Amino acid sequence: MDDVVSIPVRAVPTGQEHAPAYDAPYRWFLAASMVLAIGGGFALGLAASLQRALEWDWGARSTAAVQAHGQLQLVGFGGLFTMGMALRLMPRFSGRPLTYQRLVPAIVPLVAGSLVVRTVAQISREGGTARDTALMASAVMLVLGALAFGAIVIRTLVHRDSKGEATTYFFCAGALGFVAASALNLAIVWEIVHDNLAAGVYAKQFPLVFLEQYGFVLTFMGGVALRAVPALTGGSRPNAASRVTAVTLATGVSMFALAALWGAYDRPTATSMRFASAGIIVAAAAFAAIAWMSGALRIRANRVAAASQAPFWFVRSGMAWLMVAALLSMHYAVPAFWHGRVPDAYAVDAVRHVLAVGVLTMMVLGMSMLIVPEFAGRRLQHPGEGPLVIGMVIAMNVAVALRVWPAVVGLDWYQHTRYWPMSAAGGIAEAVVVVYALMFAQSYYEQRRPGWATPAALRER
């Protein structure tokens, strides 16, 4: 019989690794990401879709709301979760204690505070000095949070005693991508304030979102996927190939970001647009490699414990959608490269939301249910919850299909009715994440009851 891999409720010392004395407060990161997603990112995305479906007149605030939705989802929901899990996993991956531990408590207030301040300032009706000050403060806070996180990651992993292997490449590239994105965000916010704009210029927001999504969040997730998932799918950890993949993804992200910024701050040319499309193609190749090497699409030996089978379907779905995103990117970017341009807005929207809903959200839900202690304990507390989790997986896959459908159709579906599937997708995704957050909160409080994990209590379960 194949070996079964399960995630223990509490860390089990192996004698082969140095147990870290400091455990990062991942719960604060997870809680902040859930609050920003449920109360901000998903809610704003749903509101923006309904606004267009029902033809409400929001004026200039419509674009500001869409941009705020993107920042809350990428940096708030995906980013804070990614940072919390990275801080928790780095000592375990590298065998080294987390460095600059005094910086950790400042990251959540800086990053979450930045997003809240910017959202309120950008979508409110108020203007003038107060709005401008709030926007600049939010941008500076984000830079400080990114620098603190980046310093911790790089100083922890780039060390002769680190056993991070290919994960070091992914995590360091992701940290640098976050710092670069925060610096670009500062420049864009300065332009909003200086030119009294309601929102950032699209040509400059485009590389910003690309850096945040591809260069930060998905780069970290690629590192975790190639470190943890092969052990669950019966494959060996592809260390050398993973390093090449990390470098390939970083190269593609850099190519696109530099070319897009060249076109945004100077003027787009056929050469710069070809360079940008080539960057998309290179990044897509890296995504395809991550999905394939994870083993989630070709399981050799299912080593996932029986109680973890249901949440692992989130991971399988995430890797499947990552392959879809890679193929869609190739489909759009190869002709664009040939004609000296970049993929159009509908193509970009399709790929972006396959990655945001199909990959980012799936992996957040799935990996947390597998590795977060509260969910490991929950499998003991609520052993019959598999059907609920499978229902959540199905609902999220439906949400991805509904959100991407109008974007793939593109100009052939230009009427306002195209926003109804988007609204449905937003509502379904919001509901799934609310259920997930309630599950986490319930387990957190249940596991703080005296004696919940005693041998007698575990036998009863």
Coordinates of all heavy atoms in Angstrom, one line a residue, residues 164-206:
G164 N 16.6 25.8 1.9 CA 15.4 26.2 1.1 C 15.3 25.6 -0.3 O 14.3 25.6 -0.9
E165 N 16.5 25.2 -0.9 CA 16.5 24.7 -2.2 C 15.8 25.6 -3.2 O 16.0 26.8 -3.2 CB 15.9 23.3 -2.2 CG 16.7 22.3 -1.3 CD 16.1 20.9 -1.2 OE1 14.9 20.7 -1.7 OE2 16.7 20.0 -0.8
A166 N 15.0 25.0 -4.1 CA 14.3 25.8 -5.1 C 13.3 26.8 -4.5 O 13.0 27.9 -5.1 CB 13.6 24.9 -6.1
T167 N 12.8 26.5 -3.3 CA 11.9 27.4 -2.7 C 12.5 28.8 -2.4 O 11.8 29.8 -2.5 CB 11.4 26.8 -1.3 OG1 10.9 25.5 -1.5 CG2 10.2 27.6 -0.8
T168 N 13.8 28.8 -2.2 CA 14.5 30.0 -2.0 C 14.4 30.9 -3.2 O 14.2 32.1 -3.1 CB 16.0 29.8 -1.6 OG1 16.1 29.1 -0.4 CG2 16.8 31.1 -1.6
Y169 N 14.5 30.3 -4.4 CA 14.4 31.1 -5.6 C 13.0 31.7 -5.8 O 12.9 32.9 -6.1 CB 14.7 30.2 -6.8 CG 16.1 29.8 -7.0 CD1 16.9 29.1 -6.0 CD2 16.8 30.0 -8.2 CE1 18.2 28.7 -6.2 CE2 18.1 29.7 -8.4 CZ 18.8 29.0 -7.4 OH 20.1 28.7 -7.6
F170 N 12.0 30.9 -5.6 CA 10.6 31.4 -5.7 C 10.4 32.5 -4.7 O 9.8 33.6 -5.0 CB 9.6 30.3 -5.5 CG 9.4 29.4 -6.8 CD1 10.1 28.2 -6.9 CD2 8.6 29.9 -7.8 CE1 9.9 27.4 -8.0 CE2 8.4 29.1 -8.9 CZ 9.0 27.9 -9.0
F171 N 10.7 32.2 -3.4 CA 10.3 33.2 -2.4 C 11.1 34.5 -2.5 O 10.5 35.6 -2.3 CB 10.6 32.6 -1.0 CG 9.5 31.6 -0.5 CD1 8.6 31.0 -1.4 CD2 9.3 31.4 0.8 CE1 7.6 30.2 -1.0 CE2 8.3 30.5 1.3 CZ 7.5 29.9 0.4
C172 N 12.4 34.4 -2.8 CA 13.2 35.7 -3.0 C 12.7 36.5 -4.2 O 12.6 37.7 -4.1 CB 14.6 35.4 -3.1 SG 15.4 34.8 -1.5
A173 N 12.4 35.8 -5.3 CA 11.8 36.5 -6.5 C 10.5 37.1 -6.1 O 10.2 38.2 -6.5 CB 11.7 35.5 -7.6
G174 N 9.7 36.4 -5.4 CA 8.4 36.9 -5.0 C 8.5 38.1 -4.1 O 7.7 39.1 -4.2
A175 N 9.4 38.1 -3.1 CA 9.7 39.2 -2.3 C 10.1 40.5 -3.0 O 9.7 41.6 -2.8 CB 10.7 38.9 -1.2
L176 N 11.0 40.3 -4.0 CA 11.5 41.4 -4.8 C 10.4 41.9 -5.7 O 10.3 43.1 -5.9 CB 12.7 40.9 -5.7 CG 14.0 40.6 -4.9 CD1 15.0 40.0 -5.8 CD2 14.5 41.9 -4.2
G177 N 9.5 41.0 -6.2 CA 8.4 41.4 -7.0 C 7.4 42.3 -6.2 O 6.9 43.3 -6.7
F178 N 7.2 42.0 -4.9 CA 6.4 42.8 -4.0 C 7.0 44.1 -3.8 O 6.3 45.2 -3.8 CB 6.2 42.0 -2.7 CG 5.2 42.7 -1.8 CD1 4.1 43.5 -2.3 CD2 5.3 42.5 -0.4 CE1 3.2 44.1 -1.4 CE2 4.4 43.1 0.5 CZ 3.4 43.9 0.0
V179 N 8.3 44.2 -3.5 CA 8.9 45.5 -3.3 C 8.8 46.4 -4.6 O 8.5 47.6 -4.5 CB 10.4 45.3 -2.9 CG1 11.1 46.6 -2.9 CG2 10.5 44.6 -1.5
A180 N 9.1 45.7 -5.7 CA 9.0 46.5 -7.0 C 7.6 47.0 -7.2 O 7.4 48.2 -7.7 CB 9.4 45.6 -8.2
A181 N 6.6 46.2 -6.9 CA 5.2 46.6 -7.1 C 4.8 47.7 -6.2 O 4.1 48.7 -6.6 CB 4.2 45.4 -6.9
S182 N 5.3 47.7 -4.9 CA 5.0 48.7 -4.0 C 5.6 50.1 -4.4 O 5.0 51.1 -4.2 CB 5.4 48.4 -2.6 OG 6.8 48.3 -2.5
A183 N 6.8 50.0 -5.0 CA 7.5 51.2 -5.5 C 6.7 51.8 -6.7 O 6.5 53.0 -6.8 CB 8.9 50.9 -5.9
L184 N 6.2 50.9 -7.6 CA 5.5 51.4 -8.7 C 4.1 52.0 -8.2 O 3.7 53.0 -8.7 CB 5.2 50.2 -9.7 CG 4.4 50.6 -10.9 CD1 4.9 51.7 -11.7 CD2 4.2 49.3 -11.8
N185 N 3.5 51.3 -7.2 CA 2.3 51.9 -6.7 C 2.5 53.3 -6.1 O 1.6 54.1 -6.3 CB 1.8 50.9 -5.6 CG 0.5 51.4 -4.9 OD1 -0.6 51.4 -5.5 ND2 0.6 51.9 -3.7
L186 N 3.6 53.5 -5.4 CA 3.9 54.8 -4.9 C 4.0 55.9 -6.0 O 3.4 57.0 -5.9 CB 5.2 54.8 -4.1 CG 5.8 56.1 -3.6 CD1 4.8 56.7 -2.6 CD2 7.1 55.9 -2.9
A187 N 4.6 55.5 -7.1 CA 4.7 56.4 -8.3 C 3.3 56.7 -8.9 O 3.0 57.8 -9.2 CB 5.6 55.8 -9.4
I188 N 2.5 55.7 -9.0 CA 1.2 55.9 -9.5 C 0.3 56.7 -8.6 O -0.4 57.6 -9.1 CB 0.5 54.5 -9.8 CG1 1.2 53.7 -10.9 CG2 -1.0 54.6 -10.1 CD1 0.7 52.3 -11.1
V189 N 0.4 56.5 -7.3 CA -0.4 57.3 -6.4 C 0.1 58.7 -6.4 O -0.7 59.7 -6.3 CB -0.3 56.7 -4.9 CG1 -0.9 57.7 -3.9 CG2 -1.0 55.4 -4.9
W190 N 1.4 58.9 -6.5 CA 1.9 60.3 -6.6 C 1.3 61.0 -7.8 O 0.9 62.2 -7.8 CB 3.4 60.3 -6.7 CG 4.0 61.6 -7.1 CD1 4.6 61.9 -8.4 CD2 4.0 62.8 -6.4 NE1 4.9 63.2 -8.4 CE2 4.6 63.8 -7.2 CE3 3.6 63.2 -5.1 CZ2 4.8 65.1 -6.8 CZ3 3.7 64.5 -4.7 CH2 4.3 65.5 -5.6
E191 N 1.2 60.3 -8.9 CA 0.6 60.9 -10.1 C -0.9 61.2 -9.9 O -1.4 62.2 -10.4 CB 0.8 59.9 -11.3 CG 0.4 60.5 -12.7 CD 0.6 59.5 -13.8 OE1 0.1 58.4 -13.8 OE2 1.4 59.9 -14.7
I192 N -1.6 60.3 -9.2 CA -3.0 60.6 -8.9 C -3.2 61.9 -8.2 O -4.0 62.7 -8.4 CB -3.6 59.4 -8.1 CG1 -3.7 58.1 -9.0 CG2 -5.0 59.7 -7.6 CD1 -4.1 56.9 -8.3
V193 N -2.3 62.0 -7.1 CA -2.4 63.2 -6.3 C -1.9 64.4 -7.1 O -2.6 65.5 -7.0 CB -1.5 63.0 -5.0 CG1 -1.3 64.3 -4.3 CG2 -2.1 61.9 -4.1
H194 N -0.8 64.3 -7.8 CA -0.2 65.5 -8.5 C -1.2 66.0 -9.6 O -1.3 67.2 -9.8 CB 1.1 65.1 -9.1 CG 1.8 66.2 -9.7 ND1 1.7 66.5 -11.1 CD2 2.7 67.2 -9.2 CE1 2.5 67.6 -11.4 NE2 3.0 68.0 -10.3
D195 N -1.8 65.1 -10.3 CA -2.6 65.5 -11.4 C -4.1 65.5 -11.1 O -5.0 65.6 -12.0 CB -2.4 64.5 -12.6 CG -1.0 64.6 -13.1 OD1 -0.3 65.6 -12.9 OD2 -0.5 63.6 -13.8
N196 N -4.5 65.3 -9.8 CA -5.8 65.3 -9.3 C -6.7 64.3 -10.1 O -7.8 64.7 -10.6 CB -6.4 66.7 -9.4 CG -7.7 66.9 -8.6 OD1 -7.9 66.1 -7.6 ND2 -8.6 67.7 -9.0
L197 N -6.3 63.1 -10.2 CA -7.0 62.0 -10.9 C -7.9 61.2 -10.0 O -7.6 61.1 -8.8 CB -6.0 61.1 -11.6 CG -5.0 61.7 -12.6 CD1 -4.0 60.6 -13.0 CD2 -5.7 62.4 -13.7
A198 N -8.9 60.7 -10.5 CA -9.8 59.8 -9.7 C -9.2 58.4 -9.5 O -9.5 57.8 -8.5 CB -11.2 59.7 -10.4
A199 N -8.4 58.0 -10.4 CA -7.8 56.7 -10.4 C -6.5 56.7 -11.1 O -6.2 57.6 -11.9 CB -8.8 55.6 -11.0
G200 N -5.8 55.6 -11.0 CA -4.5 55.5 -11.7 C -4.7 55.3 -13.2 O -5.7 54.7 -13.7
V201 N -3.8 55.7 -14.0 CA -3.8 55.6 -15.5 C -3.7 54.1 -15.8 O -2.8 53.4 -15.3 CB -2.7 56.3 -16.1 CG1 -2.7 56.1 -17.6 CG2 -2.8 57.8 -15.8
Y202 N -4.6 53.6 -16.7 CA -4.7 52.2 -17.0 C -3.3 51.6 -17.4 O -2.9 50.5 -17.1 CB -5.8 51.9 -18.0 CG -5.8 50.4 -18.4 CD1 -6.4 49.5 -17.6 CD2 -5.3 50.0 -19.6 CE1 -6.5 48.1 -17.9 CE2 -5.3 48.6 -20.0 CZ -5.9 47.7 -19.1 OH -5.9 46.4 -19.5
A203 N -2.6 52.4 -18.3 CA -1.4 51.9 -18.9 C -0.4 51.6 -17.8 O 0.5 50.8 -18.0 CB -0.8 52.9 -19.9
K204 N -0.5 52.3 -16.7 CA 0.5 52.1 -15.6 C -0.1 51.1 -14.5 O 0.7 50.4 -13.9 CB 0.8 53.4 -14.9 CG 1.5 54.3 -15.9 CD 1.6 55.8 -15.4 CE 2.3 56.6 -16.5 NZ 2.3 58.0 -16.2
Q205 N -1.4 51.0 -14.4 CA -2.0 50.0 -13.5 C -1.7 48.6 -14.1 O -1.6 47.6 -13.3 CB -3.5 50.2 -13.4 CG -3.9 51.4 -12.5 CD -3.7 51.1 -11.0 OE1 -3.1 51.8 -10.3 NE2 -4.2 49.9 -10.6
F206 N -1.7 48.5 -15.4 CA -1.5 47.2 -16.0 C -0.2 46.5 -15.5 O -0.3 45.3 -15.0 CB -1.5 47.4 -17.6 CG -1.6 46.1 -18.4 CD1 -2.0 44.9 -17.8 CD2 -1.4 46.2 -19.7 CE1 -2.1 43.8 -18.6 CE2 -1.5 45.0 -20.5 CZ -1.9 43.8 -19.9

